[in-house]
């Protein structure tokens, strides 16, 4: 298994082009199930989660073509993948455990597959490193739209012989995945559906914008989403939004190393809550049109209090990265994790690097400032892994981060983007060094 070696202490200075959003790309690729016409998607990032979803969709019958631009030099960064997806025919109604155990977002095929064919058999996603992550709200919503649901041998079997029918669905929490699944299912249902207490995360709004282009009438009022189902869903061309979590992560990398980072290809409004915290602790953030310049402007950061919440609150996907940053603030910082019940697996690894962090249920208390010292570390999920990259970049000495496959799931060209800004980072392949 590959690992990453980082020699800390260099300031990160330079420009980083933000890639397309992973968490927008996945549901939008899945929305191609709603039509037999072609969906052309621009700004798809080059990530292993995208590759896993391509395999899932191909098993269901998708014809998928996508181009990877040639890397001009060893330090250039790639992006702008254009993907063509067409589901002329559905050849299978079953999504298997083999792929879904690697990537939970694949479960979202159940809604559109059921809506299009009247039957879907999809593996339950199984356990996860950040929490139990049930799918009860997805299933409750599909039942409201008229589906019969059974669970057999680890698979959800959903049937709607006479098609789905629009209804009012009240989510007990604004689940991102359940909202996206139900929006897709309701798009092909007969009549109007309303999802109350829906997720209004930017990635959900991106999915809605794409499905609107495909010809579905969808209105959003506050956190209610109103969908007029139609059988006339057509193909479209759509550009995926940029990745707000990647942008937030590199913003922190710049500040934490005392450097200066310019983020391009990114809409700053997507990160208002994290940017407010960065400003409060001592960073300057200058906003331009799709460009941001960020740097640390104090000697020592101020501490902060953070609570993760649904959008527009502070995103859970930046919690681990902010925890790494707050180890460098003078004083006591507090992070409350309110979205997932087990999203503190990075804490013990940060502690091994010298951080002082106390955990009490969903609350972490970070006592700073502590000097971070490089160490061999290991993470259990994508955002936890990247928090260790941030800690390593500002630590003294060498850090080896194992289980790099987590990073490859969600950060396009991570090493190259960091190297281009002056960080010292290299990938160690299982038995040899790769010269980057
Ligand atoms: C999405 O996961 C993202 N994944 C996650 O990003 C992100 O952390 C999360 O939303 C929250 O923003 C993708 O977009 C692919 P939820 P999702 O349904 O849809 C509970 C990353 O690192 N819940 O909003 O699975 C659930 O257990 C990932 O990129 C139920 O109880 O998140 C959690 O506590 C990780 N029943 C809370 O709701 C359900 O039926 C929010 O989950 C569904 C969810």
């Amino acid at each position: 298994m590959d690992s990453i070696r980082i020699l800390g202490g260099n300031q990160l200075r330079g420009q980083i082009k933000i890639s397309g959003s992973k968490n927008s790309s996945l549901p939008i690729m899945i929305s191609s199930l709603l039509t037999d016409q072609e969906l052309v998607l621009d700004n798809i990032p080059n990530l292993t989660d995208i590759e896993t979803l391509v395999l899932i969709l191909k098993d269901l019958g998708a014809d998928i073509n996508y181009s990877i631009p040639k890397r001009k030099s060893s330090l250039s960064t790639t992006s702008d993948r254009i993907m063509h997806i067409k589901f002329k025919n559905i050849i299978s109604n079953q999504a298997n455990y083999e792929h879904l155990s690697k990537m939970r977002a694949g479960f979202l095929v159940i809604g559109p597959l059921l809506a299009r064919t009247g039957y879907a058999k999809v593996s339950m996603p199984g356990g996860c490193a950040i929490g139990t992550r049930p799918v009860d709200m997805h299933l409750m919503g599909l039942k409201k739209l008229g589906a019969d649901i059974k669970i057999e041998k680890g698979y959800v079997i959903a049937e709607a012989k006479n098609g789905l029918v629009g209804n009012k669905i009240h989510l007990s929490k604004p689940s991102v995945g359940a909202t996206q699944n139900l929006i897709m299912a309701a798009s092909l249902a007969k009549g109007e559906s309303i999802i109350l207490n829906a997720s209004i995360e930017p990635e959900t709004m991106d999915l809605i914008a794409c499905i609107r282009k495909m010809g579905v009438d969808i209105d959003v009022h506050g956190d209610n989403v109103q969908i007029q189902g139609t059988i006339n869903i057509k193909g479209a061309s759509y550009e995926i939004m940029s990745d707000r979590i990647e942008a937030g992560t590199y913003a922190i990398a710049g500040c934490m190393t005392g450097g200066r980072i310019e983020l391009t290809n990114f809409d700053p409004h997507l990160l208002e809550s994290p940017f407010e915290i960065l400003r409060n602790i001592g960073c300057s953030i200058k906003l331009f049109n799709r460009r941001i310049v960020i740097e640390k402007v104090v000697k020592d950061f101020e501490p902060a209090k953070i609570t993760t919440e649904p959008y527009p609150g502070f995103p859970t996907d930046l919690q681990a990265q902010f925890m790494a940053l707050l180890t460098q603030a003078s004083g006591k910082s507090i992070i409350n994790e309110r979205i997932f019940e087990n999203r503190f697996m990075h804490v013990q690894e940060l502690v091994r690097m010298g951080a002082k962090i106390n955990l009490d249920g969903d609350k972490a208390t970070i006592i700073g400032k502590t000097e971070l010292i490089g160490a061999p570390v290991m993470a259990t999920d994508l955002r936890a892994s990247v928090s260790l990259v941030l800690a390593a970049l500002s630590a003294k000495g060498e850090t080896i981060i194992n289980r790099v496959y987590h990073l490859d799931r969600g950060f396009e060209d991570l090493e190259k983007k960091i190297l281009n800004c002056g960080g010292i980072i290299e990938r160690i392949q299982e038995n040899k060094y790769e010269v980057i």
Side-chain angles (χ1 to χ4, degrees):
M1 220 175 281
D2 292 358
S3 50
I4 277 184
R5 174 179 169 271
I6 293 176
L7 196 58
N10 274 17
Q11 292 185 337
L12 291 200
R13 291 186 170 272
Q15 196 180 72
I16 295 179
K17 182 179 175 196
I18 298 305
S19 299
S21 160
K22 166 180 85 82
N23 286 348
S24 269
S25 299
L26 298 171
I28 289 177
M29 285 167 63
I30 290 172
S31 72
S32 62
L33 274 160
L34 294 171
T35 173
D36 60 2
Q37 296 179 22
E38 186 175 74
L39 195 59
V40 181
L41 302 175
D42 198 352
N43 207 26
I44 294 272
N46 185 4
L47 300 169
T48 55
D49 268 11
I50 300 290
E51 285 164 19
T52 306
L53 183 58
V54 164
L55 296 177
I56 294 172
L57 296 180
K58 280 190 168 170
D59 279 355
L60 300 176
D63 189 6
I64 302 185
N65 291 301
Y66 56 116
S67 54
I68 309 169
K70 282 215 172 76
R71 294 169 195 228
K72 289 193 195 80
S73 80
S74 61
L75 292 185
S76 72
T77 55
T78 60
S79 193
D80 306 330
R81 253 189 184 196
I82 296 191
M83 182 177 282
H84 296 250
I85 315 180
K86 190 168 173 177
F87 267 104
K88 182 83 190 130
N89 298 302
I90 307 282
I91 59 167
S92 160
N93 304 47
Q94 180 162 332
N96 291 326
Y97 178 68
E98 182 200 347
H99 299 313
L100 265 81
S101 59
K102 289 193 199 125
M103 194 199 53
R104 301 178 56 85
F107 188 73
L108 299 190
V109 300
I110 194 168
L113 190 57
L114 171 69
R116 176 139 168 211
T117 69
Y119 181 90
K121 182 173 176 185
V122 178
S123 168
M124 296 276 281
C128 174
I130 60 177
T132 48
R133 300 181 77 184
V135 288
D136 55 319
M137 282 189 269
H138 299 240
L139 304 187
M140 174 279 290
L142 293 176
K143 279 185 194 160
K144 285 264 181 191
L145 296 175
D148 287 325
I149 306 271
K150 279 188 292 192
I151 297 177
E152 269 177 19
K153 298 181 184 167
Y155 279 77
V156 178
I157 299 171
E159 259 185 291
K161 286 198 184 98
N162 301 317
L164 297 175
V165 181
N167 203 345
K168 194 183 257 192
I169 303 166
H170 192 153
L171 299 181
S172 55
K173 285 186 211 175
S175 157
V176 176
T179 302
Q180 295 173 344
N181 211 339
L182 297 170
I183 287 172
M184 289 190 274
S187 293
L188 271 180
K190 203 167 164 190
E192 179 181 279
S193 296
I194 302 180
I195 306 173
L196 305 164
N197 196 28
S199 140
I200 49 160
E201 306 287 313
E203 294 76 13
T204 303
M205 300 309 290
D206 214 27
L207 172 69
I208 289 174
C210 179
I211 297 180
R212 278 186 183 137
K213 275 195 103 176
M214 294 164 77
V216 184
D217 185 0
I218 305 182
D219 280 326
V220 180
H221 306 282
D223 57 7
N224 298 336
V225 180
Q226 196 172 354
I227 305 123
Q228 309 299 334
T230 171
I231 49 167
N232 293 319
I233 301 187
K234 51 188 199 309
S237 293
Y238 191 75
E239 184 176 340
I240 305 286
M241 67 177 237
S242 301
D243 196 307
R244 63 188 170 121
I245 305 305
E246 189 197 25
T249 302
Y250 289 125
I252 295 173
C255 300
M256 205 171 160
T257 58
R260 183 179 187 275
I261 290 287
E262 182 176 339
L263 304 172
T264 63
N265 192 36
F266 181 68
D267 174 3
H269 296 106
L270 297 174
L271 279 179
E272 276 174 9
S273 157
F275 280 171
E276 191 184 329
I277 290 167
L278 287 176
R279 283 200 181 94
N280 289 344
I281 69 169
C283 301
S284 144
I285 304 178
K286 295 194 182 117
L287 306 181
F288 304 91
N289 183 24
R290 296 189 64 74
R291 193 165 70 85
I292 299 155
V293 177
I294 179 153
E295 62 188 322
K296 179 180 176 188
V297 288
V298 289
K299 184 167 170 291
D300 285 321
F301 293 119
E302 295 287 327
K305 280 195 179 151
I306 295 176
T307 299
T308 62
E309 287 171 328
Y311 190 82
F314 184 93
T316 174
D317 288 349
L318 279 175
Q319 180 257 106
Q321 298 90 315
F322 267 78
M323 188 175 297
L325 172 66
L326 291 172
T327 64
Q328 301 308 297
S330 293
K332 185 166 96 176
S333 296
I334 291 177
I335 296 184
N336 289 295
E337 172 56 57
R338 293 279 161 78
I339 305 290
F340 291 109
E341 71 271 25
N342 190 28
R343 208 173 200 183
F344 281 141
M345 301 297 277
H346 43 284
V347 168
Q348 288 317 317
E349 300 301 295
L350 290 172
V351 167
R352 292 183 60 245
M353 294 178 72
K356 275 196 194 148
I357 305 169
N358 299 316
L359 275 185
D360 180 12
D362 64 3
K363 178 172 147 189
T365 305
I366 304 116
I367 313 287
K369 169 182 177 178
T370 48
E371 186 182 40
L372 297 177
I373 313 273
V377 286
M378 175 135 44
T380 43
D381 79 280
L382 167 60
R383 311 303 173 186
S385 298
V386 87
S387 78
L388 300 176
V389 170
L390 296 176
L393 286 168
S394 67
K396 202 168 164 185
E398 178 183 285
T399 298
I400 305 282
I401 301 170
N402 293 300
R403 296 194 184 164
V404 170
Y405 59 86
H406 287 303
L407 292 168
D408 292 337
R409 291 184 57 188
F411 286 88
E412 182 175 48
D413 289 333
L414 175 102
E415 300 104 280
K416 290 189 175 70
K417 288 182 179 183
I418 290 175
L419 267 175
N420 273 341
C421 292
I424 302 178
I425 179 168
E426 68 179 344
R427 182 174 292 238
I428 307 168
Q429 288 184 320
E430 196 162 13
N431 293 316
K432 58 179 182 196
Y433 274 74
E434 182 192 0
V435 180
I436 298 166

